[in-house]
Amino acid sequence: MAKRVGVLALQGDFEAHERAISRAGAEPVQVRTAAELAAVDGLVIPGGESTTMLKLINYMELWESLRAFCAEKPVFGTCAGAILLATEVLNPSQASFGLIDLTVERNAYGRQVDSRVVDLEPVAEFGDRVGEGPVEAVFIRAPIIRRAGPGVKVLAEYAGDPVLVEQGRFLVATFHPELTKDSRVHQLFLSKI
Amino acid sequence: MILNVLNDPNFKVKVGLAEMMKGGVIMDVINAEQAVIAQRAGACAVMALERVPSDIRKEGGVARMSPVRIIREIQEAVTIPVMAKARIGHFTEARILEALKVDFIDESEVLTPADDEHHINKGDFTVPFVCGARNLGEALRRIAEGAAMIRTKGEAGSGNIIEAVRHIRTIVKEMRHLTILGKEELVHEAKLLGAPLNLVEWVAEHGRLPVPNFSAGGIATPADAALVMQLGAEAVFVGSGIFKSDDPEARAKAIVKAATYYKDPIKLLEASEDLGIGMAGLDISKLPESELMASRGW
């Protein structure tokens, strides 16, 4: 039976993640309520505006159910999702789930005119687990990981900063693998479920 | 074809930001104070303006790009993306906005057009553009010029949803029609639509636009936002509807909730509780043709 992977569909590019999850061979499910969250095996927190997502989490009182889910199940955050999963957020400081030992600075490359597509050379272990070759990375008003704790494994860097990292069942990308055809990063997440 | 926008890597970055705004609400603001209220309510972006459309309508005169000072103050006040409007065809206003590093430019019929035949060649810019459309042909012409996001025109500043509904229904119906046609029929259809064949073929194959498809022009309540989203819009722009109501922050929050829970009547009811009086609104059928903004654009 296909793994059921939730995509937090409060705001952002959740449909792009659904398509990426399907390409990687699992079943995507939109999650907007605690009941929908309870029915999935893992969760993707997509790109979008982290401030908007935080408002909706508060309005809908989803904070506790998300925290309980994250205490047991695998979670993958991209861009805004990375910001929500980090232990510390800068520029400005804001609330987060604090699940992966990172300090993340929002909008750290600048505004949209500074957004870009680059090819990353992931570490050898990434290639061993999901296949070799460069990863096309789309950065959109992206955050920068300013500090990664000792328990965090860096899988790829760009310009000296970690951009793809994991810690146990948590995976974080500051770029958007869901916006490309390459499904290896999503496969890596599925291997945790 | 000399330039196929769909294969341009820079286009992926532009459409990427539009993707990030899906399920969200983009709010018109005229100063930093309103921008902060919009961000606090959960807006996924703000549109920096000198006057909201209903005031442009009332006061008349030539409506131009916002003063630089206002845009800068708004950029400094919020962390969410800041959009700004340029006049149709006014590529130097657009270059100034790009130099100002706005995150998105709206080449907008709400401002007085600068060119009555041509739109801006948007593929030439690094900054992404959104453009209004009333039908599929207009949407695809704008995408051919490089637009990374389409929104319905609706009728800005009217507080009346009928035109936005007409436009989203028309675009969705015309896309659906393409998906059942044979390849040779698409050539004829491209001629009727006045749109490039490669984009017509793309829509026929995928059943959607190659860029996000949002709605604008007349959204004033949570129910309006949910209506256009159920009809196929992927996010909404709210102009005069928020700051021309008597409870801007509460209304802004309510529309943010509605854009996420647009299919859930109970949550829409909750979002609609305790709202005051919305903006007054206009009967569009009683407006003279010369006052309609939606007919601007070619």
Side-chain angles (χ1 to χ4, degrees):
Chain A
M1 209 174 79
K3 293 167 180 172
R4 283 170 57 85
V5 181
V7 184
L8 193 64
L10 299 176
Q11 194 273 320
D13 73 333
F14 48 86
E15 283 172 355
H17 270 290
E18 287 178 70
R19 290 194 284 269
I21 289 165
S22 296
R23 280 199 298 273
E27 181 195 346
V29 181
Q30 292 187 0
V31 170
R32 291 184 179 82
T33 63
E36 288 165 345
L37 185 61
V40 297
D41 307 315
L43 183 70
V44 174
I45 304 182
E49 280 308 310
S50 61
T51 53
T52 303
M53 291 184 205
L54 281 174
K55 298 294 170 196
L56 285 158
I57 289 169
N58 284 334
Y59 293 159
M60 297 302 158
E61 295 166 359
L62 289 173
W63 200 259
E64 281 316 311
S65 39
L66 278 168
R67 202 187 286 281
F69 182 91
C70 296
E72 290 178 5
K73 305 264 177 68
V75 185
F76 174 26
T78 61
C79 197
I83 295 166
L84 292 183
L85 292 179
T87 42
E88 188 185 14
V89 182
L90 308 174
N91 186 35
S93 162
Q94 67 184 34
S96 59
F97 289 103
L99 294 166
I100 177 162
D101 190 11
L102 301 173
T103 300
V104 175
E105 181 183 341
R106 292 181 58 206
N107 299 331
Y109 294 96
R111 295 187 175 276
Q112 173 63 12
V113 290
D114 306 303
S115 294
R116 67 200 73 177
V117 182
V118 301
D119 275 342
L120 304 175
E121 286 299 337
V123 298
E125 188 194 322
F126 178 88
D128 296 341
R129 284 161 69 184
V130 288
E132 289 175 4
V135 172
E136 184 187 17
V138 184
F139 289 91
I140 311 276
R141 284 172 47 95
I144 290 181
I145 295 173
R146 292 297 184 195
R147 184 195 59 84
V152 174
K153 190 189 294 171
V154 177
L155 297 171
E157 291 186 342
Y158 167 61
D161 297 307
V163 293
L164 178 66
V165 302
E166 70 176 344
Q167 183 177 12
R169 61 184 185 281
F170 304 117
L171 180 66
V172 156
T174 58
F175 58 95
H176 295 282
E178 72 277 14
L179 295 182
T180 65
K181 296 263 153 64
D182 185 346
S183 57
R184 283 175 297 162
V185 178
H186 283 81
Q187 283 164 16
L188 187 69
F189 177 59
L190 293 183
S191 72
K192 295 176 180 296
I193 299 174
Chain B
M1 193 161 181
I2 298 165
L3 172 70
N4 184 346
V5 291
L6 302 181
N7 296 326
D8 176 5
N10 191 27
F11 195 63
K12 195 180 272 184
V13 173
K14 294 176 176 178
V15 173
L17 181 57
E19 290 280 342
M20 298 310 143
M21 294 181 186
K22 283 187 176 176
V25 183
I26 300 149
M27 300 182 192
D28 278 4
V29 298
I30 60 164
N31 55 41
E33 185 195 348
Q34 288 189 354
V36 169
I37 292 172
Q39 177 170 273
R40 195 161 65 215
C44 71
V46 289
M47 176 76 71
L49 283 165
E50 186 180 22
R51 294 179 284 172
V52 292
S54 67
D55 286 336
I56 292 174
R57 208 176 263 295
K58 234 179 274 167
E59 293 160 18
V62 174
R64 310 181 179 93
M65 177 189 99
S66 295
V68 168
R69 181 183 53 82
I70 293 180
I71 299 170
R72 268 197 211 285
E73 284 170 8
I74 291 169
Q75 283 175 318
E76 280 160 22
V78 295
T79 59
I80 56 179
V82 175
M83 299 185 167
K85 290 185 194 286
R87 281 179 267 176
I88 289 173
H90 206 316
F91 53 85
T92 29
E93 278 190 351
R95 285 294 181 199
I96 292 169
L97 292 173
E98 182 177 55
L100 193 54
K101 296 193 172 187
V102 303
D103 296 294
F104 236 102
I105 296 176
D106 185 358
E107 187 185 17
S108 177
E109 70 284 358
V110 168
L111 305 183
T112 311
D115 189 322
D116 61 5
E117 226 169 290
H118 311 97
H119 283 249
I120 297 169
N121 180 21
K122 296 166 277 285
D124 257 4
F125 286 70
T126 306
V127 65
F129 281 76
V130 51
C131 286
R134 288 165 297 178
N135 54 53
L136 184 59
E138 203 173 3
L140 296 182
R141 286 195 293 281
R142 298 295 85 80
I143 295 167
E145 292 157 357
M149 179 197 289
I150 292 297
R151 55 169 176 77
T152 60
K153 288 182 173 172
E155 188 57 38
S158 70
N160 189 336
I161 196 69
I162 186 169
E163 293 301 310
V165 166
R166 189 197 318 281
H167 300 162
I168 194 79
R169 276 199 185 275
T170 301
I171 291 170
V172 169
K173 190 195 285 176
E174 289 177 330
M175 289 196 295
R176 205 180 292 144
H177 175 61
L178 291 186
T179 63
I180 59 166
L181 297 180
K183 215 163 162 52
E184 72 286 5
E185 293 173 298
L186 293 177
V187 177
H188 179 67
E189 203 61 26
K191 182 175 120 184
L192 297 180
L193 289 169
L197 179 60
N198 68 323
L199 292 177
V200 170
E201 287 175 340
W202 197 97
V203 173
E205 186 187 334
H206 296 84
R208 60 183 172 90
L209 293 181
V211 305
N213 184 15
F214 291 9
S215 186
I219 295 162
T221 67
D224 288 345
L227 175 64
V228 289
M229 292 194 64
Q230 287 201 28
L231 290 174
E234 297 170 303
V236 294
F237 287 77
V238 186
S240 322
I242 290 173
F243 289 99
K244 286 292 168 188
S245 72
D246 64 0
D247 50 1
E249 186 152 358
R251 187 164 294 263
K253 276 186 193 170
I255 296 175
V256 167
K257 289 180 200 170
T260 297
Y261 294 95
Y262 64 96
K263 283 188 276 196
D264 184 335
I266 302 295
K267 292 217 162 45
L268 290 175
L269 168 63
E270 286 165 14
S272 305
E273 302 256 19
D274 300 324
L275 285 183
I277 311 290
M279 69 179 285
L282 298 169
D283 181 347
I284 293 164
S285 64
K286 299 218 167 68
L287 290 180
E289 176 67 27
S290 63
E291 286 183 20
L292 296 179
M293 291 173 174
S295 51
R296 298 165 169 178
W298 347 107

